[in-house]
Amino acid sequence: MAAFFFGLLLFAMQSPPIPSRPTERGDGDRGSPPSHTASSPLALNDTGATGHPNGTFQQLPHIIIIGVRKGGTRALIEMLSLHSAVAAAENEVHFFDWESHFQKGIPWYLSQMPFALPYQLTVEKTPAYFTSSKVPERIHHMNPDIKLLLILRDPSERVLSDYTQVFYNRLQKHKRYQPIESLLVKDGEINLGYKALNRSLYHLHLQNWLRYFPLESIHVVDGDKLIRDPFPEMKRVERFLNLEPQINASNFYFNKTKGFYCLRDHGRERCLHDSKGRAHPHVAPAILHKLYRFFQEPNRKFFELVGRTFNWN
């Protein structure tokens, strides 16, 4: 009998472990991503959905809102959450762009996702993903078939919104701030070293994403139109995600006090945080004109990339 149990123990020790899920491969046209070892942050060794007694579970996202900062990402995810088949992460996860988070691995990323019902699609948004050079490859390694949403505004307006956010943050912390003119212009020319300006060079960042994903996997939301008339833009998002038409015009109402659209969902009304829609600082017309001229060529290149135009200055 002792020999029998010893034999069973030896067999168990020699049996290879069974992987929890098959290894994912990339699109053959773009080349398969390199395999990941068990120590790699993207190693998929133990990422099965985390279940909950009420029948919900956590799953890796089917959709990621990749940016852009100050493009309207918060409004987009709030509006998308109106759909009953969508479960949205509450906070910006910053898994693929922050090394401190990325090194925690896919199991940690999974733990940041919302608990969803079996029929729901999970979505997270981190606006910094779009302008981070390492993020496209990392997301592709996780899931080459993922759906990506990119919301963009007029690049000049986005720069001003970017500055406004930093301005108020520094003001609240009683820190010094630079006038916007000194950041936009250096030695009489547009200051290419200003980070907010770089974030608005959409064609440069999109080119990096197109190295890993086909354009058909990236839906560009017109952030300016979403602000002015959200319903048509959200119908386009529904179609891109193959969602059953559910969001309707009655989900939106214009709040005259705030000056932008708010949401109505099953009788409950909610608006974006007061930090949204802040007035931009005054900029001298000559500097604004210089900014508009600077973006003309980058905008043209972006329009060529996506095969459509936008009503930008």
Side-chain angles (χ1 to χ4, degrees), residues 71-263:
T73 58
R74 173 49 60 185
L76 178 58
I77 199 169
E78 291 287 343
M79 292 175 185
L80 190 55
S81 296
L82 291 168
H83 202 291
S84 63
V86 171
E90 291 185 10
N91 303 310
E92 295 177 6
V93 184
H94 285 283
F95 175 66
F96 297 100
D97 62 322
W98 288 3
E99 290 303 317
S100 59
H101 285 176
F102 188 67
Q103 292 305 319
K104 294 178 181 179
I106 284 286
W108 179 87
Y109 185 48
L110 179 64
S111 74
Q112 305 304 302
M113 295 301 113
F115 280 89
L117 293 166
Y119 64 85
Q120 288 183 309
L121 300 177
T122 296
V123 57
E124 76 114 325
K125 74 120 178 156
T126 302
Y129 286 166
F130 181 57
T131 55
S132 175
S133 61
K134 58 198 171 188
V135 168
E137 182 179 15
R138 288 176 171 181
I139 292 180
H140 183 270
H141 284 162
M142 178 190 71
N143 180 4
D145 299 316
I146 199 163
K147 295 282 190 178
L148 303 172
L149 293 175
L150 171 63
I151 180 166
L152 301 175
R153 295 173 60 197
D154 181 311
S156 300
E157 290 297 311
R158 200 219 62 81
V159 170
L160 299 180
S161 291
D162 204 318
Y163 172 84
T164 302
Q165 176 174 292
V166 174
F167 169 79
Y168 278 103
N169 287 344
R170 296 189 71 84
L171 205 62
Q172 291 170 359
K173 296 175 182 177
H174 306 289
K175 293 183 177 180
R176 295 180 60 186
Y177 60 88
Q178 291 179 264
I180 189 168
E181 288 85 358
S182 67
L183 293 169
L184 285 176
V185 178
K186 186 176 182 180
D187 299 326
E189 299 297 330
I190 290 295
N191 179 16
L192 300 180
Y194 183 31
K195 288 183 180 180
L197 198 78
N198 178 272
R199 294 187 188 105
S200 282
L201 296 175
Y202 302 148
H203 72 291
L204 292 179
H205 304 297
L206 185 61
Q207 283 172 344
N208 190 34
W209 285 88
L210 293 177
R211 291 174 57 205
Y212 300 94
F213 295 96
L215 187 60
E216 293 74 23
S217 295
I218 306 172
H219 177 66
V220 181
V221 180
D222 189 327
D224 297 306
K225 287 185 177 179
L226 190 76
I227 293 170
R228 293 193 302 268
D229 188 11
F231 178 56
E233 280 301 303
M234 291 310 300
K235 298 309 290 182
R236 294 183 184 95
V237 172
E238 276 185 329
R239 288 195 292 269
F240 171 72
L241 299 176
N242 295 317
L243 290 170
E244 177 185 349
Q246 193 178 98
I247 299 173
N248 56 66
S250 64
N251 288 128
F252 309 98
Y253 70 97
F254 189 78
N255 187 307
K256 293 182 179 179
T257 302
K258 292 182 175 292
F260 53 77
Y261 277 88
C262 295
L263 310 182

Side-chain angles (χ1 to χ4, degrees), residues 19-25 36-38 40-48 60 105-107 141-143:
S20 59
R21 59 184 289 182
T23 303
E24 295 180 284
R25 293 185 180 272
H36 297 283
T37 64
S40 167
L42 289 177
L44 303 178
N45 291 330
D46 187 22
T47 59
L60 292 174
I106 284 286
H141 284 162
M142 178 190 71
N143 180 4

